[in-house]
Amino acid sequence: MAHFPNKLASQQNIIVQNLAQLTLDYQKTKSERQQIIHLCTEEDLSFLEELELVTVSLRGYASQIEASAGVENREEAIANLQIYIT
């Protein structure tokens, strides 16, 4: 069972690294997202809104994992994320 804590720590490190990269990319693309909004139709905006929602969700869950090595309401979090992949 000694491998289990190491595996969790490794997974947490990967999530924290991905959170940092996602946050950096999100900040870097702010002006591009604003330009896209001005060029979009209403249908396009719903896609951008969905993208924004999934990004916020991922950042929130990753921040919880970074802070406490877990996610509150794990089953609810999984269900929320599955909405975006169906």
Side-chain angles (χ1 to χ4, degrees):
M1 282 298 208
H3 295 288
F4 188 68
N6 290 336
K7 185 176 180 180
L8 286 177
S10 176
Q11 290 171 341
Q12 183 180 9
N13 287 337
I14 291 168
I15 290 170
V16 169
Q17 290 172 2
N18 286 333
L19 172 61
Q21 186 63 51
L22 179 61
T23 300
L24 183 63
D25 291 344
Y26 187 77
Q27 291 167 348
K28 284 182 177 179
T29 60
K30 182 178 181 178
S31 64
E32 287 92 345
R33 289 192 319 273
Q34 290 174 339
Q35 289 174 351
I36 290 170
I37 288 171
H38 294 297
L39 299 172
C40 287
T41 64
E42 268 191 48
E43 291 109 30
D44 296 330
L45 284 178
S46 72
F47 170 77
L48 289 172
E49 290 168 348
E50 289 294 319
L51 183 60
E52 185 78 14
L53 288 172
V54 73
T55 301
V56 168
S57 294
L58 287 172
R59 290 177 69 201
Y61 295 134
S63 294
Q64 287 181 36
I65 291 169
E66 179 180 31
S68 64
V71 174
E72 291 181 26
N73 303 319
R74 182 175 176 225
E75 297 303 319
E76 182 181 329
I78 291 169
N80 287 338
L81 291 173
Q82 285 178 332
I83 292 169
Y84 298 111
I85 57 172
T86 57

